[in-house]
Amino acid sequence: MAVLVLDKRKKPLMPCSEKRARLLLERGRAVVHRMRPFTIRLKDRTVEESALQPIQIKIDPGSKTTGVTVIREDDADPEHQQVLMLMEIEHRGQHIKDALTQRRAFRRRRRGQLRHRAPRFHNRTRPSGWLAPSLQHRVDTTMAWVNRLCRLAPVTGIIMERVRFDMQTMENPEISGVEYQQGTLHGYEVREYLLEKWQRCCAYCGARNVPLEIDHIHPQSRGGSDRVSNLTLACRDCNQAKGNQPVEVFLADDPKRLQRIKAQAKAPLKDAAAVNSTRWALFRQLQATGLPVITSSGGRTKYNRQRLGIPKTHALDAACVGPVTAITHWNVPTLTVRATGRGSYQRTRLNRFGFPRGYLMRQKQVKGFQTGDLVQANVPTGKKAGTYQGRVAIRATGSFNIQTREGVVQGISHRHCRLLQRADGYGYALQPKPTQEDATRAA
Ligand SMILES: [Zn+2]
């Protein structure tokens, strides 16, 4: 993984290799600026003295995890790309939703407990483009990281997967005859389109979460066309059972389903079906950064990934977004960034009925540490002897818990802890690089 570099005025320079960073630190030419993502600051250079190359941030937005990759484009061919950093942002939308539901329930109980209080008149309006807090959080955390990366690296552009399939490349698939061909970019777009159109299940038996094959409703051998309006998705069993029978014969004893399939095959899908509201909101905010934003489709991402034989992870999916002919240096560890929040304002802990159960401390710090800080503890003697690195959870007694990669280590004294990085609302972990097995499975 590349190391991010700043100049002496904290302006971003080109990222360097781990080896170079180690040498710079050993010779005293640089200092550590940040632990996660690892960033160094040169003491003797400014940005004007060095040449910058084009660096892009690639984003694959997801509901639970968003993949973010920083790549360097080749000077001669921007489609030859070198991965500098792989990152996965784990959102906490479900946590936010649960917290709000619980708050609503507590308030409801308080309102009804002694005397009835009528609910207030519904006098609030939502601005246009409003998103539920759990969805807005996804946009906000992704934007926070894009902005942070722009401060740490000389980013020149953003590439984002905005839609599942690209209607423009299909040119009105239902009407004009498009040739469907397996294994081409076009084939992947058609597949994503069909998945959306047939709700990701087998058209003949309704099976979900099984591998789906593309089936010609009017069989090819009987002169059926390759147009998208003649294609559907079927599980392996149904596809085999149907063979080259006409659909009317195959579904002779289920006229209802036959009717529905025929109607659905004719109805074209709207382009909007491929974009959800969060992706739109993210796209608009990315545009507001002033950097050029290129958008791409999920079909193209999948096509790139399978063609280049790259395993499927969120971060590597992000690396495959957009026009790509070759990707190098992708086999590196991934930095997982978990959105943890910065603690709670509420100082009273409640039981599940909403009655007070205990109280939190007034102050957020104990002995100079705060929950969420990244610390290193060197315990010299005793049962817990050893070195631990991770996120700390503080206690008023000064005996802390440390969340390491192996698990929680309890009862570490503050005297043994050394601060590495202040809490910033995220928990960090390094995931090992994908094994050869993963790579071959994907290919
Ligand atoms: Zn089936």
Side-chain angles (χ1 to χ4, degrees):
M1 195 146 96
V3 174
L4 303 173
V5 186
L6 301 179
D7 77 352
K8 66 177 180 184
R9 302 211 171 90
K10 299 185 185 175
K11 295 276 183 300
L13 296 171
M14 284 307 285
C16 71
S17 69
E18 287 175 32
K19 184 182 173 188
R20 190 168 157 70
R22 201 156 46 232
L23 288 172
L24 286 168
L25 289 169
E26 273 169 14
R27 288 174 191 159
R29 282 190 57 201
V31 289
V32 175
H33 179 77
R34 226 188 126 83
M35 289 299 289
R36 304 276 193 282
F38 193 67
T39 309
I40 59 170
R41 192 169 72 235
L42 296 180
K43 294 203 278 191
D44 54 358
R45 263 174 79 188
T46 52
V47 69
E48 293 81 35
E49 298 160 17
S50 66
L52 298 179
Q53 287 166 294
I55 283 191
Q56 301 265 3
I57 298 180
K58 291 183 162 198
I59 305 170
D60 174 25
S63 63
K64 287 203 182 97
T65 309
T66 291
V68 177
T69 303
V70 182
I71 53 117
R72 169 161 63 201
E73 288 179 348
D74 194 86
D75 287 325
D77 181 4
E79 294 191 12
H80 277 75
Q81 302 175 345
Q82 182 196 339
V83 171
L84 296 176
M85 197 168 85
L86 296 175
M87 215 172 92
E88 285 178 0
I89 305 171
E90 289 178 12
H91 302 302
R92 53 182 204 126
Q94 191 58 44
H95 176 91
I96 290 173
K97 185 167 182 279
D98 291 346
L100 290 174
T101 313
Q102 195 183 41
R103 186 181 72 181
R104 193 157 56 236
F106 288 162
R107 285 184 174 169
R108 191 178 180 80
R109 188 193 62 79
R110 285 206 294 272
R111 241 185 258 123
Q113 62 185 352
L114 192 59
R115 64 193 160 79
H116 174 70
R117 276 176 282 176
R120 238 187 272 185
F121 171 60
H122 185 67
N123 59 354
R124 292 166 184 82
T125 52
R126 283 171 178 171
S128 68
W130 178 90
L131 289 174
S134 55
L135 306 182
Q136 185 64 46
H137 144 82
R138 267 190 236 161
V139 179
D140 291 345
T141 37
T142 311
M143 282 312 295
W145 272 97
V146 168
N147 289 330
R148 180 171 284 177
L149 288 173
C150 287
R151 287 198 299 273
L152 298 176
V155 176
T156 53
I158 299 166
I159 305 173
M160 171 201 178
E161 184 187 303
R162 199 187 52 172
V163 287
R164 285 194 195 282
F165 51 84
D166 192 352
M167 281 289 238
Q168 268 65 52
T169 62
M170 290 195 281
E171 285 163 25
N172 217 345
E174 308 282 359
I175 304 162
S176 61
V178 288
E179 294 293 302
Y180 154 74
Q181 213 185 326
Q182 194 98 36
T184 58
L185 169 60
H186 187 79
Y188 279 91
E189 298 282 9
V190 169
R191 216 185 129 78
E192 289 300 309
Y193 177 85
L194 288 173
L195 280 169
E196 207 60 36
K197 183 174 168 182
W198 297 93
Q199 283 104 44
R200 292 170 192 272
C201 62
C202 171
Y204 301 117
C205 70
R208 281 179 187 279
N209 301 320
V210 290
L212 294 171
E213 299 171 351
I214 289 178
D215 179 60
H216 291 74
I217 298 173
H218 185 52
Q220 249 180 324
S221 58
R222 292 170 187 263
S225 78
D226 262 347
R227 278 180 192 198
V228 178
S229 55
N230 188 41
L231 299 177
T232 187
L233 292 169
C235 66
R236 176 137 205 115
D237 294 343
C238 292
N239 203 358
Q240 296 274 312
K242 181 166 173 274
N244 66 348
Q245 298 174 63
V247 66
E248 290 82 5
V249 178
F250 180 62
L251 287 177
D253 51 354
D254 193 353
K256 252 191 188 161
R257 191 179 283 272
L258 176 67
Q259 199 77 53
R260 218 184 55 223
I261 289 176
K262 279 188 158 176
Q264 201 170 344
K266 283 207 191 81
L269 196 57
K270 297 235 166 37
D271 200 6
V275 201
N276 59 36
S277 48
T278 1
R279 286 186 176 200
W280 262 120
L282 180 62
F283 173 60
R284 287 206 201 90
Q285 290 213 12
L286 287 172
Q287 277 186 318
T289 58
L291 290 168
V293 183
I294 300 171
T295 60
S296 176
S297 71
R300 186 183 276 273
T301 304
K302 209 166 175 184
Y303 168 65
N304 288 337
R305 177 159 55 75
Q306 305 220 328
R307 187 170 45 101
L308 301 172
I310 292 176
K312 180 169 174 54
T313 69
H314 292 285
L316 287 171
D317 255 1
C320 295
V321 169
V324 173
T325 35
I327 299 179
T328 56
H329 296 78
W330 57 263
N331 203 356
V332 288
T334 306
L335 179 67
T336 314
V337 177
R338 190 161 50 88
T340 55
R342 292 163 188 270
S344 142
Y345 285 109
Q346 199 180 34
R347 297 288 87 185
T348 310
R349 282 278 163 89
L350 302 171
N351 67 12
R352 90 194 147 84
F353 305 107
F355 289 101
R357 191 187 70 192
Y359 299 92
L360 295 175
M361 289 178 292
R362 284 282 120 193
Q363 75 276 20
K364 265 189 159 180
Q365 290 203 343
V366 167
K367 311 282 183 193
F369 293 97
Q370 183 176 331
T371 295
D373 286 346
L374 184 67
V375 299
Q376 178 157 328
N378 293 307
V379 185
T381 52
K383 248 203 292 188
K384 304 269 166 61
T387 305
Y388 310 100
Q389 200 186 84
R391 193 183 136 88
V392 75
I394 58 160
R395 287 203 219 124
T397 55
S399 159
F400 299 159
N401 295 349
I402 298 178
Q403 174 94 48
T404 64
R405 202 189 299 168
E406 286 77 37
V408 181
V409 187
Q410 291 188 318
I412 301 291
S413 168
H414 69 91
R415 284 191 304 273
H416 303 311
C417 293
R418 188 164 64 87
L419 182 72
L420 296 178
Q421 184 170 298
R422 275 273 171 233
D424 59 355
Y426 300 96
Y428 300 94
L430 265 183
Q431 262 175 46
K433 55 189 181 183
T435 57
Q436 198 57 46
E437 203 179 298
D438 295 335
T440 45
R441 204 186 309 144

